[in-house]
Amino acid sequence: MKNKVFVKIKGMYMDPYAIDINEDLKDPVLINNPDLVEIPKVDDIEISEDDKKTDNEEIEIISVGRYGVVNGNEYIKYEELDEDGSKIKNTIKISEKEDDGVVVELSKKGKYQTHMIFHAGKKSTSAYATPFGSLLLGIYTRSIRIKRETDRIIVKVDYSLDINYDTVSDCNVEIHITSQLEE
């Protein structure tokens, strides 16, 4: 990884599990083994209309990273901070195969870990490990568009997201990899 780049990721975020926690519950017991606890279906969780409006929000992350090409695959490595300031190391891999099209992979390592694969017209599954336990993610990628310009790559991914086999959101993410910070 030689070239310093700026990575800007924009997308829609929907928190399907945004529910109020009862304040009387002072010390909840966290079970890290998903086999020991029944995971509620998204349909079983009631979300008020007000919550739906505030929990759908566009997020934007801007970070400095490194760009490189290895064996014809493009890699972008960058770090981000989670809500308590812990580092999460991210790698985006873009590969193009004549017979298979474009594949974009996102790996996260840190307190939160996953390896998400986006491949147009296909569904992939991945574990999403959190400090509270793991979730099974299902990703159905509807489309991937890549625009290349001098000193800039724009990747647009349109996909639906399942959590533990329940569809929770239709998502779109736009990733800008540039040699200079954009406005």
Side-chain angles (χ1 to χ4, degrees), residues 21-34:
I21 296 174
N22 183 349
E23 291 183 16
D24 296 332
L25 186 61
K26 302 266 191 254
D27 295 304
V29 176
L30 299 177
I31 299 173
N32 287 322
N33 184 343

Side-chain angles (χ1 to χ4, degrees), residues 80-91:
E80 65 181 296
L81 300 176
D82 67 12
E83 63 276 353
D84 69 358
S86 299
K87 284 185 183 178
I88 300 172
K89 294 182 179 187
N90 300 285
T91 302

Side-chain angles (χ1 to χ4, degrees), residues 76-112:
I76 302 92
K77 293 187 174 201
Y78 65 97
E79 292 181 347
E80 65 181 296
L81 300 176
D82 67 12
E83 63 276 353
D84 69 358
S86 299
K87 284 185 183 178
I88 300 172
K89 294 182 179 187
N90 300 285
T91 302
I92 297 171
K93 176 183 174 185
I94 303 170
S95 56
E96 293 186 56
K97 309 251 189 275
E98 284 184 31
D99 57 339
D100 210 22
V102 176
V103 177
V104 176
E105 299 177 47
L106 172 63
S107 297
K108 292 182 168 285
K109 293 185 178 174
K111 208 162 72 169
Y112 298 89

Side-chain angles (χ1 to χ4, degrees), residues 60-72:
E60 183 173 294
I61 298 167
I62 299 174
S63 185
V64 176
R66 297 274 176 224
Y67 170 86
V69 178
V70 179
N71 296 327

Side-chain angles (χ1 to χ4, degrees), residues 1-16:
M1 297 288 144
K2 295 180 182 176
N3 300 326
K4 176 181 170 182
V5 293
F6 294 92
V7 180
K8 179 164 78 170
I9 301 175
K10 297 188 310 186
M12 284 301 276
Y13 168 76
M14 178 184 155
D15 185 357

Side-chain angles (χ1 to χ4, degrees), residues 50-66:
D50 289 340
D51 285 341
K52 287 180 184 176
K53 290 175 189 164
T54 59
D55 291 330
N56 288 330
E57 57 187 64
E58 187 170 296
I59 60 167
E60 183 173 294
I61 298 167
I62 299 174
S63 185
V64 176
R66 297 274 176 224

